[in-house]
Amino acid sequence: MLSAFWGHASAIAIASPVVSIVGFHGDRTTIRRPTYGEMKFVEVVEKQREMPTFPQSFPMNGGDGPHSYIHNSSYQKVAIDGAKERTREAILEKLDLELLNRNSDANILRIADFGCSIGPNTFDVVQNIIDSVKQKHLKKETHIGTPLEFQVCFNDQPNNDFNTLFRTQPLFSRREYLSVGVPGSFHSRVLPKNSLHIGHTSYTLHWLSTIPQHVCDKKSPALNKSYIQCNNLVDEVTKAYKIQFKKDIGGFLEARAEELVSGGLMILSGQCLPDGIPKALTWQGVVIDMIGECLMDMAKLGITSKEKIELFSLPTYIPHISEFKANIEQNENFKIETMEEISHPMDYMPLTNDFITSMFRAILNTIIEKHFGDGVVDELFDRLAKKLDKYPINFKRCKKYVNYFIVLKRK
């Protein structure tokens, strides 16, 4: 998700066999070219163009190998499965099929899973939504015609492994709906206006569009020097992350408000911190801090450098539950139909060290490899596994995330 495009000179067409740039002076470019046997110097005054900045893009680990997200996302699957019944109830009770299709001649219902990644989780989510809509369609005996057709938009970052995603799509689902891959950051609009009926995202909104400003600036008091995450132990760092999160969740909701038709549903699920609890006291926060310690150990051996670690900070932020709710409530384009705090089915289950290591590797592989280069990932997670064996997580003492389930209706 991280990309920076510097202003650059526009293309210059000169009718000459040879053109060479020999110097830059402020905003002037000196170009040397031969003209009728003589070498002349031409100064071209150019203005730098402002190039757009794009969100950072660090998708889950692709492919279907042993370290892929496909094979290491059961923790997320359990949480998604735990929300299936609530999703079904929301569709049966809150979705107005007649309203959604009032201005449409086609009986097409469009669904989007934002931050779909790869693997079975997104297909399970979509199938549950479709089954619920079908149930409502039959139960209410709506007059929008039959059969009802479905189009599903699978959205994630452009470098998400869409090839693996569609290669592993269940065969039966291909007869249930038409599939569309939609590459792009969900922090901005990725679909046409008023084209979507049901949107869904699960365990994605903690990913920011960019690393917060100043947390990797050596001259800033918000430099996240001691940690590789926002664990709520450094006030300046937390503030920077909080500002970025507010901007991103606002952008996400504004984009969905444009895409959804009036009466359309947006279903959100994910994790927050209990009010007053720092992330450093959760088992997930402990693990990420351990990863940071492993990186520092590797720097001492020359495998990476301390400077690289100080300039590395994860673009993720887990908000406190009251903070998250406030951001949702501030958006005036939606009516809040449901806002519940739920528990993760594995909250009270001790996880094995192998499970923890594999899960975090599948999530962080891309971003770590991008920043630290090839050859670091294997060593890093080998060290994490050994550190977990030496200092196992005390799940009883660790604080637990608050899981949320929210249903919004477009006004």
Side-chain angles (χ1 to χ4, degrees):
M1 294 185 297
L2 178 62
S3 52
F5 290 79
W6 301 95
H8 62 275
S10 56
I12 304 171
I14 301 177
S16 171
V18 179
V19 177
S20 59
I21 297 175
V22 297
F24 297 92
H25 307 282
D27 60 352
R28 294 178 180 273
T29 306
T30 302
I31 299 177
R32 180 168 60 187
R33 62 185 175 93
T35 306
Y36 301 108
E38 296 181 326
M39 189 68 72
K40 292 189 176 182
F41 293 86
V42 181
E43 283 195 339
V44 180
V45 179
E46 297 180 304
K47 292 183 178 179
Q48 282 191 331
R49 291 185 298 171
E50 288 189 3
M51 299 300 289
T53 57
F54 294 91
Q56 298 172 337
S57 182
F58 300 119
M60 305 298 98
N61 204 26
D64 57 2
H67 303 304
S68 66
Y69 187 75
I70 283 182
H71 297 302
N72 297 284
S73 54
S74 59
Y75 186 85
Q76 295 86 337
K77 176 176 173 50
V78 169
I80 291 169
D81 288 347
K84 273 187 175 181
E85 184 58 26
R86 286 180 171 83
T87 299
R88 188 185 70 83
E89 290 173 358
I91 291 172
L92 292 176
E93 296 173 9
K94 311 295 183 182
L95 186 67
D96 185 344
L97 289 177
E98 291 186 3
L99 174 65
L100 297 182
N101 290 274
R102 186 169 293 167
N103 299 316
S104 174
D105 295 328
N107 299 326
I108 300 175
L109 190 134
R110 294 184 180 87
I111 300 163
D113 188 25
F114 297 97
C116 65
S117 190
I118 57 173
N121 294 352
T122 187
F123 300 125
D124 290 347
V125 162
V126 165
Q127 194 60 51
N128 183 50
I129 291 173
I130 289 175
D131 291 342
S132 302
V133 172
K134 284 182 175 180
Q135 183 180 349
K136 182 179 181 70
H137 186 238
L138 293 173
K139 184 177 180 181
K140 295 295 183 181
E141 297 180 352
T142 52
H143 302 289
I144 61 174
T146 54
L148 188 62
E149 290 189 89
F150 296 92
Q151 184 181 58
V152 178
C153 302
F154 294 96
N155 160 257
D156 212 307
Q157 293 291 349
N159 55 343
N160 181 59
D161 189 356
F162 284 100
N163 285 336
T164 296
L165 174 69
F166 290 114
R167 181 170 54 80
T168 57
Q169 183 176 359
L171 289 175
F172 74 87
S173 71
R174 299 176 190 179
R175 298 188 292 270
E176 288 271 341
Y177 53 84
L178 301 173
S179 301
V180 180
V182 182
S185 169
F186 61 39
H187 293 106
S188 58
R189 193 158 64 88
V190 294
L191 297 172
K193 291 182 178 180
N194 301 311
S195 64
L196 182 63
H197 300 102
I198 301 175
H200 173 275
T201 193
S202 58
Y203 295 83
T204 60
L205 294 179
H206 59 285
W207 284 97
L208 304 179
S209 64
T210 185
I211 298 171
Q213 191 176 12
H214 305 311
V215 299
C216 293
D217 182 355
K218 286 188 173 183
K219 297 180 181 180
S220 171
L223 174 65
N224 201 16
K225 184 176 180 179
S226 301
Y227 304 102
I228 64 168
Q229 66 168 334
C230 177
N231 57 13
N232 308 108
L233 296 184
V234 182
D235 290 343
E236 293 86 355
V237 173
T238 300
K239 182 179 179 181
Y241 271 90
K242 185 175 293 191
I243 290 170
Q244 186 63 49
F245 177 78
K246 183 175 183 178
K247 177 182 177 181
D248 285 343
I249 190 67
F252 176 89
L253 293 173
E254 287 297 323
R256 303 298 81 78
E258 290 191 59
E259 295 164 349
L260 281 159
V261 300
S262 177
L265 299 182
M266 186 67 221
I267 301 168
L268 317 171
S269 60
Q271 295 176 315
C272 289
L273 289 166
D275 288 339
I277 300 298
K279 186 182 178 184
L281 295 183
T282 65
W283 74 262
Q284 295 94 332
V286 170
V287 172
I288 295 177
D289 281 342
M290 276 189 175
I291 293 173
E293 293 169 5
C294 290
L295 284 168
M296 290 302 295
D297 292 339
M298 292 166 67
K300 293 173 184 176
L301 297 173
I303 301 173
T304 185
S305 68
K306 184 179 178 182
E307 183 179 17
K308 270 192 173 183
I309 298 169
E310 290 178 353
L311 296 177
F312 178 72
S313 200
L314 293 173
T316 59
Y317 175 71
I318 305 293
H320 287 92
I321 186 65
S322 61
E323 174 191 357
F324 184 75
K325 287 181 177 179
N327 279 295
I328 297 294
E329 291 166 350
Q330 284 173 8
N331 191 287
E332 298 180 351
N333 295 310
F334 293 96
K335 177 186 176 184
I336 299 174
E337 296 286 346
T338 303
M339 185 179 285
E340 296 182 63
E341 295 181 20
I342 59 178
S343 62
H344 192 290
M346 297 175 72
D347 269 348
Y348 301 94
M349 185 185 304
L351 306 176
T352 68
N353 293 340
D354 285 345
F355 183 92
I356 294 170
T357 302
S358 297
M359 180 174 73
F360 276 88
R361 177 166 183 162
I363 294 170
L364 300 179
N365 191 103
T366 304
I367 186 171
I368 289 172
E369 190 173 77
K370 177 75 173 178
H371 185 83
F372 293 98
D374 296 337
V376 170
V377 174
D378 287 344
E379 175 73 17
L380 174 60
F381 285 97
D382 284 347
R383 287 177 173 271
L384 176 62
K386 292 174 183 176
K387 190 174 281 287
L388 284 169
D389 286 339
K390 189 174 181 180
Y391 306 105
I393 303 293
N394 188 329
F395 288 95
K396 290 184 178 180
R397 290 187 60 186
C398 287
K399 302 297 183 180
K400 294 174 176 58
Y401 282 160
V402 175
N403 292 264
Y404 61 81
F405 178 80
I406 298 173
V407 179
L408 306 176
K409 179 177 281 191
R410 181 68 171 95
K411 292 179 180 178

